[in-house]
Amino acid sequence: MTDSPGSDGAGPVGGEAVDGAGPADSTGPVDSTGPVDGAGPVIETRGLTKRFRGGQLAVDRLDLTVPAGSVFGFLGPNGSGKTTTIRMLLGLIEPTAGSAALLGRPVPRAARAVLPQVGALIEGPALYGYLTGRDNLVRYDAADPSADPRTRGARVAAALDRVGLGAAAGKRARAYSLGMKQRLGLASALLRPRRLLVLDEPTNGLDPQGMREIRSLVRELAADGTTVFLSSHLLDEIEQVCTHVAVMTGGRLITQGTVAGLAAGVRGRLGVTTPDPGEAARVLKERGATDVVVTESRLTCEAPPDADLAELNAALVLAGVRVRAFGPERASLEDAFVALTGEGFDVAG
């Protein structure tokens, strides 16, 4: 018996039909007849909303702006509306209200003109397990009516080399590791030049080595000028690879901006290096410090919001604590998320 696409548990791109919700607002951020050029945001939404049958509000008035050339992290816990947003952007489902544009053209109205310049990997690649990696890509390429069959072999070989699968091109896809399948899915999205690459949880289920491989590939694509829109629930993944980020929770956008800018707006934890960490912890707790974490020669804590750090340092010295280093640490994206939402979620899976 032969395998069918997606038989290995990976869902196909475009597998969800329009659910029959009310028609989308036809007013796009730009004129539908405008050129697909390099000016302006690569993705832009205004009031984008999706309410499913039964009343579930999955995405609530989303205003999103993705600048060209960025690696844009779309961050939020599972169930926060990320995948629903991506499906609306790619024309797989219709919004209930609001508008969206890719590459300066409204979708879904101009999807036929825009989507050939967009590569997407949603919920894992759909592969024929009994075919080799090379033959899977040949099938993907043959399904593109604009692809020249005379140059198909060269296109497939280049895509495989791009994702580091040239040596495994003749191996059947069912024998690929999960990381290799993800890379083959990315290769299918890179069979032709793309100005935008949309990845939904591209490291889901991967081991640390597989995660590193995907992150490295994303950086290479961005360095070559491709804008990458990367959805994830992993704070650590976003912080390592992304230049910009938007934070979603409960279907709503909390904030968006550069990763560095979001972290810069939050004071990091207070760090103290000392051979007397126990005594330092006691002194700081007496002065209102919370969430104190002590190791052999260092402690970190949340200083009181109105604390004068110079006074805290003086109090440690007065108590006989030998302070070797003292000061706020650089705030992380996790710190920024907790400050914005008052809650946390997976940092590294």
Side-chain angles (χ1 to χ4, degrees), residues 138 140-152 155 191-192:
V138 166
Y140 274 114
D141 194 72
D144 183 350
S146 66
D148 185 348
R150 295 170 297 180
T151 55
R152 179 162 295 141
R155 245 185 336 271
L191 283 166
R192 58 189 297 168

Side-chain angles (χ1 to χ4, degrees), residues 269 272 277 281 285 290-295 298-302:
R269 289 172 62 83
V272 182
K285 286 178 181 179
T290 58
D291 193 18
V292 179
V293 178
V294 178
T295 61
R298 181 172 171 78
L299 69 84
T300 63
C301 66
E302 294 290 343

